[in-house]
Amino acid sequence: MKQAYLWIAGVVGSAAVAGGGIALMQSQPEAIAPEDSAVVTPTTPSTPTQEVPSEPETAAPRPDPKLSDFPHKRLELTDEVPAGSEFDQFRDRLQQAIQARDEAFIRSLLPPDGLFYGFGGPMNIEDMDLNIDDGWFWQVLEKMMALESCEPSDYPPVEAGNPVWVCPNTTQAFYRQYPDPETAPGDEYEFSTIMVMGNNVNVRAAANTNSAVVGILSNELVEFDQATASRLYQDSPDSMPDELESWTPIILPNDVRGYVYSRYAYAPLDPRGLFENVNGQWQLIRVLAGD
């Protein structure tokens, strides 16, 4: 059961489309590399050797402009949570709990009948690996709440009339700003796109911080390198995605192929949390994924 949840959780990290051969496997890091660069704003390919940065994998404050000399498809995110509101205060507390790996607090947010994740039924809380600091659900939560960009959702509330918040709202922004073109109907459009959220995010020639920087991206859409991802998946079909400490293969608008640190790589079908105040208690009522 847990393996099924992991595949849904890793739509960016591990996705497959029946008959289409689309897949992405994010292999695990082998070593920790020195700090690569500056602070980010929240917001060989077949067998890569991963050296995961201990700090955000972003470029110097004034990166070489030649590294971003190509057309850009910017994605603008807005946070619709009123400052100081009840949900704003709850979100701050949730972010603190995620950083502190506060298992008791996260358990208190889960519905008593189980959390629905993606297309699956109620999830057994023990399958979330909350007792492990780098457990897969902690990785999902950390990435899900990193952007601090939420908006009201039209998802049916548990209690009629209650507002439901979705975090992050990357998927909603993607569909509003870049509607599905007629030339790419269905899931193919979603699976072909990666949203790189952060300022001056490095694009590496290989999946490690020792390789050359071949591009710089800031809050924009790029093409998901499906061919490389499929090859990686075929080489290691049993590998599970690590949502944070891994690399995502992409293709830049100038046809240069590279990798971005997966902490900043979001796919339109990635996990998004739905939050509602139920009987005076905030709950994570559902995780949308793979839709």
Side-chain angles (χ1 to χ4, degrees):
M1 178 67 75
K2 180 170 67 174
Q3 184 175 7
Y5 289 134
L6 280 168
W7 283 117
I8 298 172
V11 172
V12 161
S14 177
V17 177
I22 302 170
L24 166 60
M25 185 282 294
Q26 296 175 328
S27 48
Q28 301 295 323
E30 295 180 359
I32 301 297
E35 177 180 345
D36 191 47
S37 61
V39 176
V40 69
T41 300
T43 57
T44 53
S46 59
T47 55
T49 300
Q50 299 223 16
E51 297 184 61
V52 177
S54 57
E55 294 293 331
E57 164 60 358
T58 54
R62 295 182 180 180
D64 185 347
K66 294 181 180 179
L67 294 174
S68 59
D69 186 16
F70 46 75
H72 297 271
K73 297 174 67 175
R74 304 294 186 188
L75 186 70
E76 296 183 7
L77 297 184
T78 59
D79 183 24
E80 298 188 23
V81 180
S85 66
E86 183 181 351
F87 182 70
D88 188 35
Q89 296 177 49
F90 161 74
R91 184 174 60 178
D92 287 344
R93 177 67 183 89
L94 173 59
Q95 291 168 332
Q96 294 171 14
I98 293 171
Q99 292 302 316
R101 297 300 194 255
D102 187 341
E103 180 180 353
F105 182 82
I106 299 303
R107 283 177 175 265
S108 73
L109 306 182
L110 302 177
D113 297 331
L115 177 68
F116 281 80
Y117 195 112
F119 297 111
M123 183 191 302
N124 186 331
I125 191 171
E126 302 309 322
D127 287 331
M128 297 181 181
D129 291 343
L130 291 174
N131 60 323
I132 304 173
D133 283 351
D134 61 350
W136 73 271
F137 195 66
W138 285 117
Q139 305 266 340
V140 171
L141 287 172
E142 186 169 342
K143 189 173 181 180
M144 197 164 66
M145 301 306 299
L147 295 178
E148 198 163 291
S149 182
C150 308
E151 67 179 58
S153 170
D154 58 3
Y155 193 86
V158 175
E159 295 181 354
N162 273 358
V164 176
W165 292 92
V166 59
C167 305
N169 60 2
T170 45
T171 300
Q172 287 76 6
F174 167 71
Y175 286 129
R176 283 193 295 263
Q177 297 171 39
Y178 297 96
D180 189 351
E182 294 182 1
T183 55
D187 291 340
E188 170 64 18
Y189 181 52
E190 285 81 359
F191 278 105
S192 66
T193 302
I194 292 294
M195 301 174 282
V196 178
M197 304 311 300
N199 285 332
N200 298 328
V201 177
N202 289 326
V203 181
R204 295 282 181 175
N208 61 70
T209 56
N210 292 326
S211 62
V213 175
V214 295
I216 300 291
L217 298 170
S218 294
N219 300 316
E220 57 192 289
L221 276 57
V222 291
E223 183 180 351
F224 169 42
D225 187 351
Q226 299 178 11
T228 296
S230 295
R231 185 167 62 251
L232 293 174
Y233 171 71
Q234 291 168 4
D235 290 344
S236 303
D238 296 328
S239 297
M240 291 290 101
D242 182 333
E243 286 294 316
L244 300 178
E245 296 180 351
S246 55
W247 300 83
T248 298
I250 64 167
I251 304 174
L252 294 174
N254 56 5
D255 293 327
V256 171
R257 295 175 184 265
Y259 294 81
V260 293
Y261 197 38
S262 294
R263 180 180 296 270
Y264 308 114
Y266 291 77
L269 303 182
D270 262 4
R272 286 142 284 136
L274 294 175
F275 299 91
E276 178 186 347
N277 192 318
V278 181
N279 295 322
Q281 169 69 41
W282 283 101
Q283 286 188 3
L284 174 58
I285 62 172
R286 192 179 189 107
V287 174
L288 303 175
D291 55 338

